[in-house]
Amino acid sequence: MSQPPAVEVHDLTVTYERRPVLWNIDLSIPDRQLVGIVGPNGAGKSTLIKAIMGLLPASSGWVKIYGEPYEKQRSKVGYVPQRDTVDWDFPVTVEDVVMMGRYGKMGLFKRPGPEDRAVVLECLEKVGMAGFAKRQIGNLSGGQQQRVFLARALAQDSHIYLMDEPFVGVDAATEAAIVTLLEEMREKGRLAMVVHHDLDSAREYFDSILLLNMRVVACGPTEQVFTSELLRKTYGGRLTILSDVSEAVAQAQR
Amino acid sequence: MRALALLALLAAPAWAAKISELEESGWRQQLERFFRFGDPAVVYALSRAILLGLVSGLLGAFIVLRGMSLMGDTLGHAVLPGVAAAFMVTGQKAMVPLMVGASLAGVLGTGAVWAVRRYSRLKEDAAMGLVLSSFFALGIVLLTRIQKSESGAQSGLDRFLFGQAATLGLNDVIILALVTVFCLGLVGLLFKELTVTSFDPVFAASIGLPVGWLNALLMGLVTLAVVASIPAVGVVLVSAMLITPAATAQLLSRRMPTMLAWSAVIGVLSGALGALFSFLARGMPTGPCMVLAASCFFLAAYLLAPERGLLIRAWRRAMRRHRTERENLVKSIYRSQEDRDGAEWITLDELARDRRESVSDLSGRVRGLGPLVIVSSDRVRLSDEGRALAERLVRNHRLWELFLTREADIAHDHVHRDAEEIEHILPAEVVARLEELLEAPTTDPHGRPIPR
């Protein structure tokens, strides 16, 4: 029997504040690759990765991780949220944040042990932030903040990594560090799905591209998907009718 | 008549039962009486104030970090009609029914905020303001009715407005102690879960934490703490005991455990000081005393906190400016030497002319440079130490100018003012990188030599 795909999505429709933002998404993504999720603003890129993790209620459809529902496979998925979704003045150190990546495996009420601390330090070294372990997160640059989030995802020790715009607002050194990490993940047979906004570098970084604009325009090997026709379909005006209809759906339920 | 009753109600201190008015004595005797701890009323008031400081300090930390400070205020005001209604139903002010009534009203208030948010376009602050004021108004109306009824004369319900720790009995203290232990235990058990859901709720949900339940639990604990604190602090100010110690603690801490500890300690101290002042001032309501004590702690931390305090920062800035001025003076002696073909001694007149200021202003400051210069009557030269400093500054300045003009394509005449500031703060490793990048240059963009 062949192994089920890392991420399988079937007929997923997600509404947000009564407005459909993703329509009938079908995906079947094997691991051992880097997938870029690309599309215009409001295309539902972040929504898609949140919906894969079951953080947003689906109006229809289902998601499977290696053939099982997400709830059973949580420990196989690591998540890097957008950097600006948290309060960087929060009284936690770099080390504390990365330790949060271990919480999922630790279980309720448990305290981190020496093994967890060793993993945290190792992950901080991988992103070149070991020297910052005891710093409060408020004193970090944008690139350093992003590295901390990456280290936290690494500490989750997962098979699948879902990353929301990790390249936004980071310096060149951090960008290179992220690319190296991604390539390491692929070598280990992992899957990384990365929301990305820059078309040029997307072509360079990712093995496969998922073109998204409220629905899947195309999903496949980068060289096959990066055609002017498909890009026009993703970014062009024809799909705006979807958001117009979404608006109408929202109005009807007001 | 009604207006009068309301006025009297708001002037709660006049109505509050006061243990201290039994004896007319000076504040010194009062102080002795307080610290002898022989009077059970004193002991109860103090332990109550300390317990509530502890529990609200602890829970307040999470409330403040989640940006939910207004929620505490809403809860505090929303419980008032519950207290009044419980009294109307039972006809007595037994602690348990009053707490049940208050909790129900608190839950109802929280639910109302959620419902207004959910089914209208209003923002959270408007929803809270709306619920807070209407519940509070209803509470005042009910209380006024009770005060005017027969049983209301000795109801003492008005203490719920501003709090009076001194009128509380042993039962009240036991209830608050139970609530405190319960909250302490749960926060201890769920410390890491509460922290991660406060910091990054979406991530917390992604690793399978029951974020919704944890939020509900926290709100439940806060409601419990608020309700149990109200007889001592009063509804109007109860949220301050949640917010102020926690806000103070955040100025002092870099990590959660430290913040929780500070918050609890400041809460306890404010509670104890509040109880003391309320006792000394003869039945002054406890709530305002506690809150004022907490506010003093906040002010102190705001001004004096070791890293982020206003005064410390101002002092550090002043020190920096002072250092910059000294360095600039050393540098201009170097420049004056340079302009006179490397003359060793510079007269103060020449230096003053170069710096476009009067000799009288200058000579004192030149002498103030101490070991950096050697002064001989009206002449000055740099010591070895001063010369090394000046060379470092001039090198920084010229390297930076060169970098800006050569690598950043900024015009020659635009770079000097920038370099004037950068020269004082350029770290050694950046200087090394600049030298490498610019291939150990010998002259700056204006043709002047760069010291090695």
Side-chain angles (χ1 to χ4, degrees), chain A residues 30-43:
Chain A
D31 54 19
R32 202 173 289 279
Q33 62 169 341
L34 308 178
V35 181
I37 304 176
V38 174
N41 288 336

Side-chain angles (χ1 to χ4, degrees), chain A residues 17-85:
Chain A
E17 288 181 350
R18 293 181 286 266
R19 191 183 312 256
V21 278
L22 288 174
W23 301 76
N24 313 94
I25 304 293
D26 284 310
L27 287 173
S28 175
I29 298 177
D31 54 19
R32 202 173 289 279
Q33 62 169 341
L34 308 178
V35 181
I37 304 176
V38 174
N41 288 336
K45 304 186 290 284
S46 303
T47 308
L48 176 62
I49 59 177
K50 283 185 193 152
I52 289 176
M53 295 184 294
L55 300 182
L56 298 171
S59 321
S60 77
W62 47 257
V63 174
K64 282 184 179 166
I65 305 294
Y66 290 113
E68 302 269 357
Y70 181 79
E71 290 69 35
K72 287 190 181 170
Q73 301 281 49
R74 232 174 229 134
S75 64
K76 293 206 170 88
V77 182
Y79 174 44
V80 181
Q82 280 184 33
R83 201 154 43 79
D84 57 11
T85 53

Side-chain angles (χ1 to χ4, degrees), chain A residues 46 94 100 111 144 151 218 230 235:
Chain A
S46 303
V94 164
M100 290 174 189
R111 286 290 147 86
Q144 290 168 334
L230 286 175
Y235 288 87

Side-chain angles (χ1 to χ4, degrees), chain A residues 11-234:
Chain A
D11 193 23
L12 182 73
T13 296
V14 177
T15 45
Y16 187 70
E17 288 181 350
R18 293 181 286 266
R19 191 183 312 256
V21 278
L22 288 174
W23 301 76
N24 313 94
I25 304 293
D26 284 310
L27 287 173
S28 175
I29 298 177
D31 54 19
R32 202 173 289 279
Q33 62 169 341
L34 308 178
V35 181
I37 304 176
V38 174
N41 288 336
K45 304 186 290 284
S46 303
T47 308
L48 176 62
I49 59 177
K50 283 185 193 152
I52 289 176
M53 295 184 294
L55 300 182
L56 298 171
S59 321
S60 77
W62 47 257
V63 174
K64 282 184 179 166
I65 305 294
Y66 290 113
E68 302 269 357
Y70 181 79
E71 290 69 35
K72 287 190 181 170
Q73 301 281 49
R74 232 174 229 134
S75 64
K76 293 206 170 88
V77 182
Y79 174 44
V80 181
Q82 280 184 33
R83 201 154 43 79
D84 57 11
T85 53
V86 303
D87 169 17
W88 290 93
D89 288 325
F90 205 89
V92 282
T93 59
V94 164
E95 197 177 29
D96 293 337
V97 174
V98 179
M99 185 61 83
M100 290 174 189
R102 306 295 301 162
Y103 286 4
K105 292 191 164 59
M106 244 180 259
L108 281 178
F109 310 131
K110 299 267 172 45
R111 286 290 147 86
E115 195 190 324
D116 295 307
R117 265 185 276 280
V119 173
V120 165
L121 204 61
E122 193 187 316
C123 296
L124 278 172
E125 264 157 24
K126 272 189 202 154
V127 298
M129 290 288 288
F132 294 78
K134 307 282 180 201
R135 285 257 203 120
Q136 205 228 315
I137 55 171
N139 303 325
L140 303 177
S141 73
Q144 290 168 334
Q145 291 175 350
Q146 193 64 59
R147 286 166 189 238
V148 173
F149 264 13
L150 279 168
R152 179 174 71 177
L154 291 178
Q156 291 185 274
D157 191 24
S158 311
H159 287 78
I160 298 168
Y161 290 91
L162 304 176
M163 307 188 183
D164 205 342
E165 302 264 23
F167 290 102
V168 162
V170 304
D171 51 293
T174 301
E175 180 150 354
I178 300 175
V179 172
T180 312
L181 277 177
L182 287 175
E183 280 162 358
E184 260 173 45
M185 287 175 181
R186 172 175 50 200
E187 263 159 46
K188 286 189 189 157
R190 309 278 158 87
L191 166 68
M193 294 178 70
V194 182
V195 174
H196 195 58
H197 61 285
D198 179 51
L199 285 176
D200 287 335
S201 53
R203 187 197 294 257
E204 184 189 331
Y205 294 156
F206 301 112
D207 309 308
S208 299
I209 294 286
L210 164 57
L211 288 177
L212 190 74
N213 191 350
M214 303 183 80
R215 65 178 199 84
V216 177
V217 177
C219 183
T222 304
E223 65 276 13
Q224 285 173 32
V225 169
F226 248 98
T227 64
S228 53
E229 194 202 330
L230 286 175
L231 285 175
R232 201 173 325 116
K233 213 169 159 189
T234 313

Side-chain angles (χ1 to χ4, degrees), chain B residues 201-250:
Chain B
V202 180
F203 177 80
S206 85
I207 59 173
L209 290 180
V211 175
W213 286 109
L214 285 167
N215 290 346
L217 177 78
L218 186 65
M219 280 321 293
L221 292 183
V222 171
T223 310
L224 208 59
V226 161
V227 167
S229 312
I230 275 176
V233 202
V235 291
V236 182
L237 288 171
V238 68
S239 70
M241 286 305 283
L242 285 170
I243 299 165
T244 315
T248 313
Q250 201 184 357

